[in-house]
Amino acid sequence: MKTANKPRTSGSGTKRNGAAANGKKMPDVNGPAGDGKRPSLYANVIKQFDKAADMMRLDGNIRKILASTMNEIIVNFPVKMDDGRIEIFRGYRVQHNDVLGPFKGGLRYHPAVNIDEVRALATWMTWKSAIAEIPYGGAKGGIQIDPSRQKYSINELERITRRFTFALGNNIGPEYDIPAPDVNTNPQIMAWIMDTYLQMMPPHERQRCIHVVTGKPIKSGGSLGRDKATGQGVVYLIERWAEEQGFDLDGSTYIVQGFGNVGSWAARLMKPHGAKMVAVEDVAGALYNPEGIDPDDLIAYAKEHSDIFGYPDAKPIDHMAFMGTKADIFIPAALESQITALTAPMLKVRLVAEGANGPTDPDGDRILLERGIHLIPDILCNSGGVIVSYFEWLQNKRSEFWDLDEVDAKLKKKIVSAYERVQGVAHHYKTDWRNAAYIVALTRLENVYKERGIFP
Ligand code: NAD
């Protein structure tokens, strides 16, 4: 559970609550689309899509279908606050495509959640499932809310989550649309969603429906390995990339942006390779230590202090200094549109392994390519989460419980074979890896549409 960013006066630097450690305002990476401040995220998706569709000569009719979302649900719902007031919240669920299987995708709680962002994230989920060859379509959702403890008590957060689930009603379901955790949501929130959904079912149906969400706590039907799955997938692919490059991870350096689920697990799993995290950034600011920052120690610190600000064994740096830190690998694991025309020229890394969704915009992509910086694109790199979500869903449906070794081995096999598919297509089309990943996804979707046809 994310907790409040308490203002802090001790330690060096200034805590950033939307403001950089040097006092400068952080770039508004995530403001509402169409507000003139930033380009639409969905427009970025369509740019990426068009590039791949042109190169592979995607069938014109299928192109029309995949360039739009199927369903867009917006719910405004009332919740009683602890002091008796009623607040109205806005929640979203966008279902992009379900030709390969039920809609699947996370729920995000963030003040900047908006329809444009959710559309983009839902569409990326369709591509991700197609590349990983798991039987899911794409969806995403969220609530426009700052879920910090400063704003809402734990009881309020529970009521908000339950009322959102109720408002979504039959728009989600274990064989129809299956939410999972994303930014600022976690297994506890999934347990509340599952429980609320089950209360709305006839009693004899309930036990058959716990796979309405994945990323649940283990005792409530979650899978071992789901908490670390996205970070684990990122690290499996970094290992694979390093092997191919003849690059020794032992003694290598990396930087991580976002120290939540994905970023902190990726960092923790890089440690046994002997790799050093020399810089890390979260919403409260950035830290640097050329000797390396111990991920486990920083996780313990962040648990206690709610974020990484004030950690004693590293020095605070500002956002731009973080982006310009020299290292071998950059793992963006926070929000979208971080690697842009402004920041891509500053990066001093050999590889960007995208743990986050959409951290690189089309200008950033072009600059990374020109600069010869390798990229493992989000729709491949962070697919470990949805792959293990699929494993959790299967275990629930079959009343099975797999051990961690089994989950890890299956994840590695699936994500590495997805990597090989993308690599093969990149080679075949002589194109970059993001474009190749799109071509893999679009080819699979095109084949299925051609087999099934369009009703009526
Ligand atoms: P999280 O809420 O656990 O962590 C988010 C982290 O980003 C926090 O450390 C937060 O402080 C940091 N952050 C927020 N704004 C920031 C900013 N402006 N600058 C720097 N850091 C900032 O979320 P998560 O689940 O780890 O998700 C992170 C990214 O990974 C998102 O893009 C998400 O869509 C993507 N992703 C998550 C999963 C999953 O399984 N959780 C799966 C695939 C992709």
Side-chain angles (χ1 to χ4, degrees), residues 2 16 26 29 108 121 128 140 181-184 226 230 257-263 281-283 333-336 338 355-357 382 385:
K2 301 297 166 307
R16 183 177 67 207
M26 275 284 284
V29 294
R108 176 176 290 198
L121 292 163
K128 209 179 288 185
K140 203 82 177 192
D182 192 72
V183 173
N184 290 331
R226 176 59 186 90
T230 308
Q257 186 191 44
F259 205 65
N261 174 283
V262 179
E281 181 179 50
D282 79 356
V283 71
L335 298 176
E336 44 273 3
Q338 297 296 306
N357 284 306
N382 69 35

PDB file of all heavy atoms in Angstrom, residues 2 16 26 29 108 121 128 140 181-184 226 230 257-263 281-283 333-336 338 355-357 382 385, ligand 1:
ATOM      1  N   LYS A   2       0.604   2.178  -0.874  1.00  0.00           N
ATOM      2  CA  LYS A   2       1.394   3.400  -0.877  1.00  0.00           C
ATOM      3  C   LYS A   2       0.917   4.289   0.262  1.00  0.00           C
ATOM      4  O   LYS A   2      -0.274   4.384   0.539  1.00  0.00           O
ATOM      5  CB  LYS A   2       1.259   4.148  -2.200  1.00  0.00           C
ATOM      6  CG  LYS A   2       1.691   3.315  -3.367  1.00  0.00           C
ATOM      7  CD  LYS A   2       3.163   2.996  -3.222  1.00  0.00           C
ATOM      8  CE  LYS A   2       3.617   1.899  -4.135  1.00  0.00           C
ATOM      9  NZ  LYS A   2       2.882   0.663  -4.092  1.00  0.00           N
ATOM     10  N   ARG A  16      10.507  16.068  -2.849  1.00  0.00           N
ATOM     11  CA  ARG A  16       9.723  16.498  -3.986  1.00  0.00           C
ATOM     12  C   ARG A  16       8.311  15.940  -3.875  1.00  0.00           C
ATOM     13  O   ARG A  16       8.107  14.751  -3.800  1.00  0.00           O
ATOM     14  CB  ARG A  16      10.367  15.960  -5.261  1.00  0.00           C
ATOM     15  CG  ARG A  16       9.682  16.411  -6.509  1.00  0.00           C
ATOM     16  CD  ARG A  16      10.411  15.904  -7.700  1.00  0.00           C
ATOM     17  NE  ARG A  16      10.330  14.462  -7.803  1.00  0.00           N
ATOM     18  CZ  ARG A  16      11.240  13.711  -8.399  1.00  0.00           C
ATOM     19  NH1 ARG A  16      12.322  14.250  -8.891  1.00  0.00           N
ATOM     20  NH2 ARG A  16      11.104  12.414  -8.487  1.00  0.00           N
ATOM     21  N   MET A  26       8.798  19.308 -11.268  1.00  0.00           N
ATOM     22  CA  MET A  26       8.987  18.144 -12.144  1.00  0.00           C
ATOM     23  C   MET A  26       8.195  18.343 -13.418  1.00  0.00           C
ATOM     24  O   MET A  26       7.104  18.901 -13.375  1.00  0.00           O
ATOM     25  CB  MET A  26       8.425  16.890 -11.454  1.00  0.00           C
ATOM     26  CG  MET A  26       9.373  16.240 -10.523  1.00  0.00           C
ATOM     27  SD  MET A  26      10.607  15.331 -11.440  1.00  0.00           S
ATOM     28  CE  MET A  26       9.666  13.888 -11.951  1.00  0.00           C
ATOM     29  N   VAL A  29       4.444  14.973 -16.376  1.00  0.00           N
ATOM     30  CA  VAL A  29       4.504  13.855 -17.293  1.00  0.00           C
ATOM     31  C   VAL A  29       3.135  13.266 -17.559  1.00  0.00           C
ATOM     32  O   VAL A  29       2.963  12.485 -18.453  1.00  0.00           O
ATOM     33  CB  VAL A  29       5.415  12.723 -16.763  1.00  0.00           C
ATOM     34  CG1 VAL A  29       6.843  13.213 -16.717  1.00  0.00           C
ATOM     35  CG2 VAL A  29       4.979  12.235 -15.395  1.00  0.00           C
ATOM     36  N   ARG A 108      -5.182   1.403 -12.063  1.00  0.00           N
ATOM     37  CA  ARG A 108      -4.237   2.402 -11.549  1.00  0.00           C
ATOM     38  C   ARG A 108      -4.988   3.429 -10.715  1.00  0.00           C
ATOM     39  O   ARG A 108      -6.048   3.894 -11.130  1.00  0.00           O
ATOM     40  CB  ARG A 108      -3.589   3.075 -12.764  1.00  0.00           C
ATOM     41  CG  ARG A 108      -2.655   4.186 -12.457  1.00  0.00           C
ATOM     42  CD  ARG A 108      -1.994   4.706 -13.732  1.00  0.00           C
ATOM     43  NE  ARG A 108      -1.042   3.756 -14.293  1.00  0.00           N
ATOM     44  CZ  ARG A 108      -0.101   4.087 -15.181  1.00  0.00           C
ATOM     45  NH1 ARG A 108      -0.005   5.324 -15.606  1.00  0.00           N
ATOM     46  NH2 ARG A 108       0.740   3.184 -15.639  1.00  0.00           N
ATOM     47  N   LEU A 121      -2.968   2.610 -22.356  1.00  0.00           N
ATOM     48  CA  LEU A 121      -2.513   1.473 -21.545  1.00  0.00           C
ATOM     49  C   LEU A 121      -3.286   0.200 -21.907  1.00  0.00           C
ATOM     50  O   LEU A 121      -2.719  -0.894 -21.923  1.00  0.00           O
ATOM     51  CB  LEU A 121      -2.664   1.813 -20.053  1.00  0.00           C
ATOM     52  CG  LEU A 121      -1.710   2.908 -19.534  1.00  0.00           C
ATOM     53  CD1 LEU A 121      -2.191   3.470 -18.188  1.00  0.00           C
ATOM     54  CD2 LEU A 121      -0.285   2.391 -19.393  1.00  0.00           C
ATOM     55  N   LYS A 128       0.764  -6.732 -25.683  1.00  0.00           N
ATOM     56  CA  LYS A 128       1.604  -7.491 -24.727  1.00  0.00           C
ATOM     57  C   LYS A 128       1.168  -8.948 -24.644  1.00  0.00           C
ATOM     58  O   LYS A 128       1.988  -9.858 -24.711  1.00  0.00           O
ATOM     59  CB  LYS A 128       1.447  -6.827 -23.348  1.00  0.00           C
ATOM     60  CG  LYS A 128       2.626  -6.967 -22.450  1.00  0.00           C
ATOM     61  CD  LYS A 128       2.378  -6.267 -21.120  1.00  0.00           C
ATOM     62  CE  LYS A 128       2.406  -4.764 -21.207  1.00  0.00           C
ATOM     63  NZ  LYS A 128       2.273  -4.105 -19.884  1.00  0.00           N
ATOM     64  N   LYS A 140      -7.533  -1.774 -19.462  1.00  0.00           N
ATOM     65  CA  LYS A 140      -6.881  -1.046 -18.374  1.00  0.00           C
ATOM     66  C   LYS A 140      -7.929  -0.176 -17.711  1.00  0.00           C
ATOM     67  O   LYS A 140      -8.945   0.159 -18.332  1.00  0.00           O
ATOM     68  CB  LYS A 140      -5.764  -0.153 -18.929  1.00  0.00           C
ATOM     69  CG  LYS A 140      -4.715   0.188 -17.903  1.00  0.00           C
ATOM     70  CD  LYS A 140      -3.709  -0.939 -17.779  1.00  0.00           C
ATOM     71  CE  LYS A 140      -2.599  -0.596 -16.823  1.00  0.00           C
ATOM     72  NZ  LYS A 140      -1.506  -1.588 -16.942  1.00  0.00           N
ATOM     73  N   PRO A 181      -3.123  -5.528 -10.332  1.00  0.00           N
ATOM     74  CA  PRO A 181      -2.525  -4.298  -9.781  1.00  0.00           C
ATOM     75  C   PRO A 181      -1.730  -3.507 -10.825  1.00  0.00           C
ATOM     76  O   PRO A 181      -1.199  -4.059 -11.773  1.00  0.00           O
ATOM     77  CB  PRO A 181      -1.566  -4.807  -8.692  1.00  0.00           C
ATOM     78  CG  PRO A 181      -1.877  -6.238  -8.474  1.00  0.00           C
ATOM     79  CD  PRO A 181      -2.508  -6.735  -9.738  1.00  0.00           C
ATOM     80  N   ASP A 182      -1.661  -2.209 -10.619  1.00  0.00           N
ATOM     81  CA  ASP A 182      -0.798  -1.324 -11.402  1.00  0.00           C
ATOM     82  C   ASP A 182      -0.335  -0.227 -10.431  1.00  0.00           C
ATOM     83  O   ASP A 182      -0.288  -0.470  -9.219  1.00  0.00           O
ATOM     84  CB  ASP A 182      -1.574  -0.780 -12.621  1.00  0.00           C
ATOM     85  CG  ASP A 182      -0.661  -0.090 -13.627  1.00  0.00           C
ATOM     86  OD1 ASP A 182       0.094  -0.780 -14.321  1.00  0.00           O
ATOM     87  OD2 ASP A 182      -0.675   1.153 -13.717  1.00  0.00           O
ATOM     88  N   VAL A 183      -0.052   0.951 -10.945  1.00  0.00           N
ATOM     89  CA  VAL A 183       0.487   2.021 -10.103  1.00  0.00           C
ATOM     90  C   VAL A 183      -0.483   2.314  -8.941  1.00  0.00           C
ATOM     91  O   VAL A 183      -1.683   2.551  -9.166  1.00  0.00           O
ATOM     92  CB  VAL A 183       0.736   3.299 -10.948  1.00  0.00           C
ATOM     93  CG1 VAL A 183       1.133   4.475 -10.058  1.00  0.00           C
ATOM     94  CG2 VAL A 183       1.805   3.025 -11.995  1.00  0.00           C
ATOM     95  N   ASN A 184       0.056   2.289  -7.730  1.00  0.00           N
ATOM     96  CA  ASN A 184      -0.690   2.598  -6.505  1.00  0.00           C
ATOM     97  C   ASN A 184      -1.827   1.637  -6.173  1.00  0.00           C
ATOM     98  O   ASN A 184      -2.710   1.970  -5.378  1.00  0.00           O
ATOM     99  CB  ASN A 184      -1.254   4.035  -6.537  1.00  0.00           C
ATOM    100  CG  ASN A 184      -0.161   5.063  -6.414  1.00  0.00           C
ATOM    101  OD1 ASN A 184       0.875   4.817  -5.799  1.00  0.00           O
ATOM    102  ND2 ASN A 184      -0.368   6.220  -7.006  1.00  0.00           N
ATOM    103  N   ARG A 226       3.875 -13.780  -8.160  1.00  0.00           N
ATOM    104  CA  ARG A 226       3.201 -12.697  -8.885  1.00  0.00           C
ATOM    105  C   ARG A 226       3.710 -11.334  -8.449  1.00  0.00           C
ATOM    106  O   ARG A 226       3.832 -10.419  -9.256  1.00  0.00           O
ATOM    107  CB  ARG A 226       1.672 -12.765  -8.709  1.00  0.00           C
ATOM    108  CG  ARG A 226       0.904 -11.599  -9.358  1.00  0.00           C
ATOM    109  CD  ARG A 226       1.144 -11.501 -10.856  1.00  0.00           C
ATOM    110  NE  ARG A 226       0.534 -10.322 -11.499  1.00  0.00           N
ATOM    111  CZ  ARG A 226       1.117  -9.145 -11.642  1.00  0.00           C
ATOM    112  NH1 ARG A 226       2.347  -8.932 -11.148  1.00  0.00           N
ATOM    113  NH2 ARG A 226       0.499  -8.156 -12.254  1.00  0.00           N
ATOM    114  N   THR A 230       6.846  -8.899 -12.604  1.00  0.00           N
ATOM    115  CA  THR A 230       7.207  -7.925 -13.639  1.00  0.00           C
ATOM    116  C   THR A 230       8.704  -7.617 -13.560  1.00  0.00           C
ATOM    117  O   THR A 230       9.417  -7.651 -14.573  1.00  0.00           O
ATOM    118  CB  THR A 230       6.353  -6.647 -13.505  1.00  0.00           C
ATOM    119  OG1 THR A 230       4.973  -7.045 -13.455  1.00  0.00           O
ATOM    120  CG2 THR A 230       6.556  -5.722 -14.683  1.00  0.00           C
ATOM    121  N   GLN A 257      14.302   4.120 -12.289  1.00  0.00           N
ATOM    122  CA  GLN A 257      13.342   5.191 -12.011  1.00  0.00           C
ATOM    123  C   GLN A 257      12.021   4.564 -11.581  1.00  0.00           C
ATOM    124  O   GLN A 257      11.437   3.786 -12.336  1.00  0.00           O
ATOM    125  CB  GLN A 257      13.100   6.047 -13.259  1.00  0.00           C
ATOM    126  CG  GLN A 257      12.215   7.234 -12.936  1.00  0.00           C
ATOM    127  CD  GLN A 257      11.728   7.942 -14.172  1.00  0.00           C
ATOM    128  OE1 GLN A 257      11.322   7.303 -15.132  1.00  0.00           O
ATOM    129  NE2 GLN A 257      11.749   9.252 -14.143  1.00  0.00           N
ATOM    130  N   GLY A 258      11.588   4.890 -10.355  1.00  0.00           N
ATOM    131  CA  GLY A 258      10.396   4.257  -9.790  1.00  0.00           C
ATOM    132  C   GLY A 258      10.877   3.129  -8.895  1.00  0.00           C
ATOM    133  O   GLY A 258      11.542   2.202  -9.360  1.00  0.00           O
ATOM    134  N   PHE A 259      10.587   3.236  -7.614  1.00  0.00           N
ATOM    135  CA  PHE A 259      11.047   2.196  -6.688  1.00  0.00           C
ATOM    136  C   PHE A 259       9.837   1.571  -5.998  1.00  0.00           C
ATOM    137  O   PHE A 259       9.818   1.358  -4.796  1.00  0.00           O
ATOM    138  CB  PHE A 259      12.040   2.800  -5.681  1.00  0.00           C
ATOM    139  CG  PHE A 259      12.994   1.777  -5.117  1.00  0.00           C
ATOM    140  CD1 PHE A 259      13.915   1.134  -5.933  1.00  0.00           C
ATOM    141  CD2 PHE A 259      12.965   1.457  -3.766  1.00  0.00           C
ATOM    142  CE1 PHE A 259      14.788   0.178  -5.424  1.00  0.00           C
ATOM    143  CE2 PHE A 259      13.834   0.498  -3.239  1.00  0.00           C
ATOM    144  CZ  PHE A 259      14.738  -0.135  -4.067  1.00  0.00           C
ATOM    145  N   GLY A 260       8.817   1.287  -6.812  1.00  0.00           N
ATOM    146  CA  GLY A 260       7.623   0.600  -6.300  1.00  0.00           C
ATOM    147  C   GLY A 260       7.747  -0.876  -6.603  1.00  0.00           C
ATOM    148  O   GLY A 260       8.838  -1.453  -6.544  1.00  0.00           O
ATOM    149  N   ASN A 261       6.643  -1.492  -6.973  1.00  0.00           N
ATOM    150  CA  ASN A 261       6.667  -2.942  -7.213  1.00  0.00           C
ATOM    151  C   ASN A 261       7.710  -3.321  -8.269  1.00  0.00           C
ATOM    152  O   ASN A 261       8.606  -4.128  -8.014  1.00  0.00           O
ATOM    153  CB  ASN A 261       5.257  -3.401  -7.630  1.00  0.00           C
ATOM    154  CG  ASN A 261       5.242  -4.864  -8.046  1.00  0.00           C
ATOM    155  OD1 ASN A 261       5.660  -5.200  -9.145  1.00  0.00           O
ATOM    156  ND2 ASN A 261       4.816  -5.751  -7.167  1.00  0.00           N
ATOM    157  N   VAL A 262       7.596  -2.738  -9.452  1.00  0.00           N
ATOM    158  CA  VAL A 262       8.454  -3.171 -10.566  1.00  0.00           C
ATOM    159  C   VAL A 262       9.913  -2.779 -10.325  1.00  0.00           C
ATOM    160  O   VAL A 262      10.829  -3.605 -10.432  1.00  0.00           O
ATOM    161  CB  VAL A 262       7.937  -2.575 -11.906  1.00  0.00           C
ATOM    162  CG1 VAL A 262       8.831  -3.009 -13.061  1.00  0.00           C
ATOM    163  CG2 VAL A 262       6.497  -2.987 -12.152  1.00  0.00           C
ATOM    164  N   GLY A 263      10.140  -1.520  -9.992  1.00  0.00           N
ATOM    165  CA  GLY A 263      11.516  -1.028  -9.842  1.00  0.00           C
ATOM    166  C   GLY A 263      12.261  -1.690  -8.701  1.00  0.00           C
ATOM    167  O   GLY A 263      13.429  -2.076  -8.836  1.00  0.00           O
ATOM    168  N   GLU A 281      15.390   6.815  -8.506  1.00  0.00           N
ATOM    169  CA  GLU A 281      14.483   7.961  -8.344  1.00  0.00           C
ATOM    170  C   GLU A 281      13.080   7.458  -8.038  1.00  0.00           C
ATOM    171  O   GLU A 281      12.644   6.463  -8.625  1.00  0.00           O
ATOM    172  CB  GLU A 281      14.455   8.785  -9.640  1.00  0.00           C
ATOM    173  CG  GLU A 281      13.562  10.006  -9.558  1.00  0.00           C
ATOM    174  CD  GLU A 281      13.558  10.823 -10.854  1.00  0.00           C
ATOM    175  OE1 GLU A 281      13.352  10.226 -11.926  1.00  0.00           O
ATOM    176  OE2 GLU A 281      13.753  12.044 -10.784  1.00  0.00           O
ATOM    177  N   ASP A 282      12.408   8.118  -7.119  1.00  0.00           N
ATOM    178  CA  ASP A 282      10.964   7.880  -6.976  1.00  0.00           C
ATOM    179  C   ASP A 282      10.259   9.221  -6.934  1.00  0.00           C
ATOM    180  O   ASP A 282      10.869  10.264  -7.222  1.00  0.00           O
ATOM    181  CB  ASP A 282      10.636   6.942  -5.796  1.00  0.00           C
ATOM    182  CG  ASP A 282      10.675   7.631  -4.442  1.00  0.00           C
ATOM    183  OD1 ASP A 282      11.036   8.819  -4.373  1.00  0.00           O
ATOM    184  OD2 ASP A 282      10.358   6.962  -3.434  1.00  0.00           O
ATOM    185  N   VAL A 283       8.982   9.227  -6.556  1.00  0.00           N
ATOM    186  CA  VAL A 283       8.201  10.455  -6.636  1.00  0.00           C
ATOM    187  C   VAL A 283       8.758  11.533  -5.696  1.00  0.00           C
ATOM    188  O   VAL A 283       8.560  12.728  -5.916  1.00  0.00           O
ATOM    189  CB  VAL A 283       6.706  10.158  -6.353  1.00  0.00           C
ATOM    190  CG1 VAL A 283       6.477   9.829  -4.885  1.00  0.00           C
ATOM    191  CG2 VAL A 283       5.810  11.278  -6.836  1.00  0.00           C
ATOM    192  N   ALA A 333      10.837   2.497 -14.395  1.00  0.00           N
ATOM    193  CA  ALA A 333       9.775   1.683 -13.782  1.00  0.00           C
ATOM    194  C   ALA A 333       8.818   2.592 -13.014  1.00  0.00           C
ATOM    195  O   ALA A 333       8.387   2.265 -11.911  1.00  0.00           O
ATOM    196  CB  ALA A 333      10.394   0.620 -12.871  1.00  0.00           C
ATOM    197  N   ALA A 334       8.530   3.767 -13.603  1.00  0.00           N
ATOM    198  CA  ALA A 334       7.603   4.695 -12.936  1.00  0.00           C
ATOM    199  C   ALA A 334       6.432   4.977 -13.872  1.00  0.00           C
ATOM    200  O   ALA A 334       5.588   4.105 -14.088  1.00  0.00           O
ATOM    201  CB  ALA A 334       8.339   5.967 -12.538  1.00  0.00           C
ATOM    202  N   LEU A 335       6.414   6.167 -14.443  1.00  0.00           N
ATOM    203  CA  LEU A 335       5.278   6.544 -15.281  1.00  0.00           C
ATOM    204  C   LEU A 335       5.708   6.677 -16.736  1.00  0.00           C
ATOM    205  O   LEU A 335       6.866   6.452 -17.082  1.00  0.00           O
ATOM    206  CB  LEU A 335       4.683   7.863 -14.767  1.00  0.00           C
ATOM    207  CG  LEU A 335       4.124   7.803 -13.344  1.00  0.00           C
ATOM    208  CD1 LEU A 335       3.660   9.176 -12.903  1.00  0.00           C
ATOM    209  CD2 LEU A 335       2.991   6.793 -13.225  1.00  0.00           C
ATOM    210  N   GLU A 336       4.763   7.111 -17.577  1.00  0.00           N
ATOM    211  CA  GLU A 336       5.065   7.197 -18.998  1.00  0.00           C
ATOM    212  C   GLU A 336       5.771   8.503 -19.359  1.00  0.00           C
ATOM    213  O   GLU A 336       5.911   9.400 -18.539  1.00  0.00           O
ATOM    214  CB  GLU A 336       3.786   7.028 -19.846  1.00  0.00           C
ATOM    215  CG  GLU A 336       2.572   7.775 -19.389  1.00  0.00           C
ATOM    216  CD  GLU A 336       1.762   7.006 -18.365  1.00  0.00           C
ATOM    217  OE1 GLU A 336       2.151   5.911 -17.958  1.00  0.00           O
ATOM    218  OE2 GLU A 336       0.736   7.532 -17.941  1.00  0.00           O
ATOM    219  N   GLN A 338       8.891   9.554 -20.045  1.00  0.00           N
ATOM    220  CA  GLN A 338      10.074  10.015 -19.304  1.00  0.00           C
ATOM    221  C   GLN A 338      11.278  10.194 -20.218  1.00  0.00           C
ATOM    222  O   GLN A 338      12.134  11.028 -19.972  1.00  0.00           O
ATOM    223  CB  GLN A 338      10.420   9.005 -18.201  1.00  0.00           C
ATOM    224  CG  GLN A 338       9.348   8.859 -17.160  1.00  0.00           C
ATOM    225  CD  GLN A 338       9.150  10.143 -16.392  1.00  0.00           C
ATOM    226  OE1 GLN A 338      10.090  10.692 -15.838  1.00  0.00           O
ATOM    227  NE2 GLN A 338       7.931  10.651 -16.377  1.00  0.00           N
ATOM    228  N   GLY A 355      10.645  -1.242 -17.806  1.00  0.00           N
ATOM    229  CA  GLY A 355       9.759  -1.859 -16.820  1.00  0.00           C
ATOM    230  C   GLY A 355       8.406  -1.166 -16.817  1.00  0.00           C
ATOM    231  O   GLY A 355       7.369  -1.794 -16.647  1.00  0.00           O
ATOM    232  N   ALA A 356       8.401   0.154 -17.000  1.00  0.00           N
ATOM    233  CA  ALA A 356       7.151   0.923 -17.028  1.00  0.00           C
ATOM    234  C   ALA A 356       6.458   0.744 -18.367  1.00  0.00           C
ATOM    235  O   ALA A 356       7.054   0.278 -19.338  1.00  0.00           O
ATOM    236  CB  ALA A 356       7.464   2.401 -16.806  1.00  0.00           C
ATOM    237  N   ASN A 357       5.201   1.158 -18.422  1.00  0.00           N
ATOM    238  CA  ASN A 357       4.480   1.222 -19.701  1.00  0.00           C
ATOM    239  C   ASN A 357       4.686   2.600 -20.307  1.00  0.00           C
ATOM    240  O   ASN A 357       4.461   3.614 -19.637  1.00  0.00           O
ATOM    241  CB  ASN A 357       2.988   0.996 -19.459  1.00  0.00           C
ATOM    242  CG  ASN A 357       2.687  -0.462 -19.206  1.00  0.00           C
ATOM    243  OD1 ASN A 357       3.048  -1.327 -20.003  1.00  0.00           O
ATOM    244  ND2 ASN A 357       2.032  -0.756 -18.084  1.00  0.00           N
ATOM    245  N   ASN A 382       8.059  -5.713 -19.865  1.00  0.00           N
ATOM    246  CA  ASN A 382       7.329  -5.787 -18.588  1.00  0.00           C
ATOM    247  C   ASN A 382       6.184  -6.805 -18.638  1.00  0.00           C
ATOM    248  O   ASN A 382       5.294  -6.787 -17.790  1.00  0.00           O
ATOM    249  CB  ASN A 382       6.861  -4.400 -18.133  1.00  0.00           C
ATOM    250  CG  ASN A 382       5.772  -3.811 -19.008  1.00  0.00           C
ATOM    251  OD1 ASN A 382       4.911  -4.518 -19.520  1.00  0.00           O
ATOM    252  ND2 ASN A 382       5.777  -2.494 -19.161  1.00  0.00           N
ATOM    253  N   GLY A 385       4.506  -9.551 -15.631  1.00  0.00           N
ATOM    254  CA  GLY A 385       3.349  -9.385 -14.753  1.00  0.00           C
ATOM    255  C   GLY A 385       2.122 -10.079 -15.315  1.00  0.00           C
ATOM    256  O   GLY A 385       1.461 -10.862 -14.621  1.00  0.00           O
TER     257      GLY A 385
HETATM  258  P1  NAD B   1       4.023   1.363  -7.987  1.00  0.00           P
HETATM  259  O1  NAD B   1       2.903   2.254  -7.606  1.00  0.00           O
HETATM  260  O2  NAD B   1       4.293   0.164  -7.151  1.00  0.00           O
HETATM  261  O3  NAD B   1       5.383   2.210  -8.072  1.00  0.00           O
HETATM  262  C1  NAD B   1       5.493   3.377  -8.833  1.00  0.00           C
HETATM  263  C2  NAD B   1       6.813   4.041  -8.469  1.00  0.00           C
HETATM  264  O4  NAD B   1       7.025   5.157  -9.337  1.00  0.00           O
HETATM  265  C3  NAD B   1       6.861   4.583  -7.038  1.00  0.00           C
HETATM  266  O5  NAD B   1       8.133   4.332  -6.482  1.00  0.00           O
HETATM  267  C4  NAD B   1       6.684   6.090  -7.238  1.00  0.00           C
HETATM  268  O6  NAD B   1       7.276   6.840  -6.198  1.00  0.00           O
HETATM  269  C5  NAD B   1       7.414   6.284  -8.549  1.00  0.00           C
HETATM  270  N1  NAD B   1       7.046   7.505  -9.247  1.00  0.00           N
HETATM  271  C6  NAD B   1       5.812   8.036  -9.439  1.00  0.00           C
HETATM  272  N2  NAD B   1       5.905   9.198 -10.093  1.00  0.00           N
HETATM  273  C7  NAD B   1       7.221   9.418 -10.323  1.00  0.00           C
HETATM  274  C8  NAD B   1       7.956  10.456 -10.952  1.00  0.00           C
HETATM  275  N3  NAD B   1       7.327  11.504 -11.465  1.00  0.00           N
HETATM  276  N4  NAD B   1       9.307  10.352 -11.010  1.00  0.00           N
HETATM  277  C9  NAD B   1       9.926   9.282 -10.478  1.00  0.00           C
HETATM  278  N5  NAD B   1       9.301   8.255  -9.866  1.00  0.00           N
HETATM  279  C10 NAD B   1       7.953   8.340  -9.793  1.00  0.00           C
HETATM  280  O7  NAD B   1       3.754   0.951  -9.501  1.00  0.00           O
HETATM  281  P2  NAD B   1       4.299  -0.312 -10.298  1.00  0.00           P
HETATM  282  O8  NAD B   1       3.271  -1.373 -10.221  1.00  0.00           O
HETATM  283  O9  NAD B   1       5.702  -0.585  -9.907  1.00  0.00           O
HETATM  284  O10 NAD B   1       4.256   0.246 -11.795  1.00  0.00           O
HETATM  285  C11 NAD B   1       5.324   1.010 -12.346  1.00  0.00           C
HETATM  286  C12 NAD B   1       5.226   0.980 -13.854  1.00  0.00           C
HETATM  287  O11 NAD B   1       5.274  -0.369 -14.318  1.00  0.00           O
HETATM  288  C13 NAD B   1       3.930   1.555 -14.443  1.00  0.00           C
HETATM  289  O12 NAD B   1       4.206   2.118 -15.705  1.00  0.00           O
HETATM  290  C14 NAD B   1       3.077   0.311 -14.628  1.00  0.00           C
HETATM  291  O13 NAD B   1       2.045   0.508 -15.587  1.00  0.00           O
HETATM  292  C15 NAD B   1       4.135  -0.649 -15.109  1.00  0.00           C
HETATM  293  N6  NAD B   1       3.782  -2.066 -14.973  1.00  0.00           N
HETATM  294  C16 NAD B   1       3.451  -2.592 -13.763  1.00  0.00           C
HETATM  295  C17 NAD B   1       3.161  -3.946 -13.674  1.00  0.00           C
HETATM  296  C18 NAD B   1       2.840  -4.609 -12.355  1.00  0.00           C
HETATM  297  O14 NAD B   1       2.778  -5.846 -12.338  1.00  0.00           O
HETATM  298  N7  NAD B   1       2.705  -3.885 -11.258  1.00  0.00           N
HETATM  299  C19 NAD B   1       3.170  -4.746 -14.824  1.00  0.00           C
HETATM  300  C20 NAD B   1       3.538  -4.182 -16.040  1.00  0.00           C
HETATM  301  C21 NAD B   1       3.845  -2.839 -16.101  1.00  0.00           C
END
